[in-house]
Amino acid sequence: DILERPEGLELGGDLREVTIMMSDIRGFTTLSERLAPDQVVKMLNRYLGSMTDIIMAHQGTIDEFLGDAILAVFGAPLARDDDADRAVRCALAMQAAMADINAQNLAEGLPEVETGIALNTGVVIAGNIGSERRSKYGFVGHPMNVTSRIEDHCAGGETLISRSTLDKLNGHYRVAEPRTLKAKGIDQEVEVYRLQGELA
Amino acid sequence: DILERPEGLELGGDLREVTIMMSDIRGFTTLSERLAPDQVVKMLNRYLGSMTDIIMAHQGTIDEFLGDAILAVFGAPLARDDDADRAVRCALAMQAAMADINAQNLAEGLPEVETGIALNTGVVIAGNIGSERRSKYGFVGHPMNVTSRIEDHCAGGETLISRSTLDKLNGHYRVAEPRTLKAKGIDQEVEVYRLQGELA
């Protein structure tokens, strides 16, 4: 696992075009307050386990779990021609997997959950970030912040992809009419599309 | 390092009262766009290296680096009577270290940077969070989200501590008059104090 062996990567930073994925469970913190801690961790780990498997199957690089949030990128450390397509197909597979996760939750008396997923494509600085004691392959740049703002606008069960991701797709997908987001700290408006499925 | 060996921790989740620290460099992303990628990573790693040393010297647990952001907690996995005090002293030491970091930056033609630090105390769920393939000791709960909102309000060079952290302190510190924050997703208002120093 290249992420766990940063000494195997070159030092310094590279500019990389990546498709960034951020997801989280809508209202998870509020929901977690009604449950015992063990139940929260069980439910969270079921969800994260399923999502991890799907992201890895689509050759995504998981950068972080932060509570119920997942940050992954497609296109680093290895770039491929279909980075944006794999990210979109990954998001569709993640949303599709929620039915099974919720069936397991319901069978155990746990609540149903919904995830929101944001995808955005842009050039970021990728490098081994941290200290001598602790470093990891990570990413810096405005596209990371933009993705976070898009994620703030995702409803439960919704996947929003930015115009920049849409422009990189080779496959054909159904999307809804664009919405324009204005977000704190981002100068320009961001055009996003709700992802509805892949066309046969 | 207990964080690197999650199998050494019990499964499930525990309720823990912790003092949460979130920090980041003000305007780092914008600043990074004016620099070469190698310079960005060099500057970032100098900062993160110094901050890591200080946090570890104060027995804080670093949960994450995310770009220029640091998430650390004081009080888990091991709780001590002075968790909040160590967090406050750590924040003061981190701000004091910025002068040296900036002297090094200036000597190399790199820009000066300022950090904002938010501290908040509350009960969170702590546990091994993730999947079979990838898990880490992590934290879930409203106090995490509140800390993030406080961090959004920190100016450069500013450390804001919540009322809940102030109430836990055994030492004596100088703080400015309270400010009340209203933040998206947080029902109640949050009272925060600007940390100015420790009293002799």
Side-chain angles (χ1 to χ4, degrees), chain B residues 91-158:
Chain B
L92 290 168
M94 288 164 68
Q95 294 289 8
M98 296 307 292
D100 186 50
I101 289 168
N102 281 322
Q104 292 181 59
N105 281 354
L106 286 173
E108 295 174 18
L110 294 169
E112 288 188 90
V113 291
E114 291 187 312
T115 191
I117 305 175
L119 296 179
N120 179 43
T121 302
V123 175
V124 299
I125 298 171
N128 284 312
I129 291 172
S131 65
E132 281 179 28
R133 297 191 193 202
R134 180 189 178 102
S135 76
K136 65 165 204 180
Y137 189 61
F139 308 93
V140 176
H142 266 303
M144 307 300 290
N145 304 1
V146 170
T147 315
S148 177
R149 297 309 173 209
I150 297 170
E151 175 63 4
D152 288 340
H153 286 84
C154 287
E158 191 170 65

Side-chain angles (χ1 to χ4, degrees), chain A residues 126-142:
Chain A
N128 284 312
I129 292 172
S131 64
E132 281 179 29
R133 297 191 193 201
R134 180 191 179 100
S135 76
K136 65 163 202 182
Y137 188 62
F139 308 93
V140 176
H142 266 304

Side-chain angles (χ1 to χ4, degrees), chain B residues 176-189:
Chain B
E177 286 298 300
R179 283 150 46 184
T180 301
L181 307 184
K182 278 186 175 179
K184 173 175 160 282
I186 312 293
D187 285 343
Q188 76 275 41
E189 295 184 335

Side-chain angles (χ1 to χ4, degrees), chain B residues 158-174:
Chain B
E158 191 170 65
T159 298
L160 295 179
I161 71 174
S162 70
R163 177 78 208 200
S164 60
T165 298
L166 193 71
D167 288 344
K168 286 285 168 182
L169 295 172
N170 299 309
H172 297 282
Y173 308 87
R174 280 185 297 117

Side-chain angles (χ1 to χ4, degrees), chain B:
Chain B
D1 184 344
I2 198 165
L3 291 183
E4 304 303 324
R5 291 183 289 106
E7 69 278 13
L9 294 166
E10 60 188 86
L11 292 174
D14 288 314
L15 289 175
R16 296 294 190 99
E17 185 177 82
V18 295
T19 295
I20 303 145
M21 169 184 282
M22 294 189 190
S23 75
D24 59 27
I25 298 174
R26 302 290 97 180
F28 183 76
T29 303
T30 300
L31 185 150
S32 71
E33 296 191 332
R34 309 199 321 255
L35 301 171
D38 280 359
Q39 289 182 302
V40 172
V41 173
K42 183 177 189 178
M43 192 174 69
L44 189 51
N45 288 356
R46 169 178 292 146
Y47 167 78
L48 291 174
S50 173
M51 297 299 121
T52 299
D53 288 347
I54 295 167
I55 293 168
M56 293 181 84
H58 289 81
Q59 298 171 295
T61 299
I62 296 176
D63 187 51
E64 286 305 341
F65 298 140
L66 200 62
D68 60 302
I70 303 169
L71 167 60
V73 301
F74 296 78
L78 298 176
R80 297 177 181 87
D81 288 340
D82 63 347
D83 290 326
D85 286 274
R86 290 200 326 284
V88 163
R89 289 183 184 122
C90 184
L92 290 168
M94 288 164 68
Q95 294 289 8
M98 296 307 292
D100 186 50
I101 289 168
N102 281 322
Q104 292 181 59
N105 281 354
L106 286 173
E108 295 174 18
L110 294 169
E112 288 188 90
V113 291
E114 291 187 312
T115 191
I117 305 175
L119 296 179
N120 179 43
T121 302
V123 175
V124 299
I125 298 171
N128 284 312
I129 291 172
S131 65
E132 281 179 28
R133 297 191 193 202
R134 180 189 178 102
S135 76
K136 65 165 204 180
Y137 189 61
F139 308 93
V140 176
H142 266 303
M144 307 300 290
N145 304 1
V146 170
T147 315
S148 177
R149 297 309 173 209
I150 297 170
E151 175 63 4
D152 288 340
H153 286 84
C154 287
E158 191 170 65
T159 298
L160 295 179
I161 71 174
S162 70
R163 177 78 208 200
S164 60
T165 298
L166 193 71
D167 288 344
K168 286 285 168 182
L169 295 172
N170 299 309
H172 297 282
Y173 308 87
R174 280 185 297 117
V175 296
E177 286 298 300
R179 283 150 46 184
T180 301
L181 307 184
K182 278 186 175 179
K184 173 175 160 282
I186 312 293
D187 285 343
Q188 76 275 41
E189 295 184 335
V190 182
E191 202 177 2
V192 298
Y193 297 77
R194 191 155 88 87
L195 182 64
Q196 297 178 309
E198 183 162 7
L199 296 172

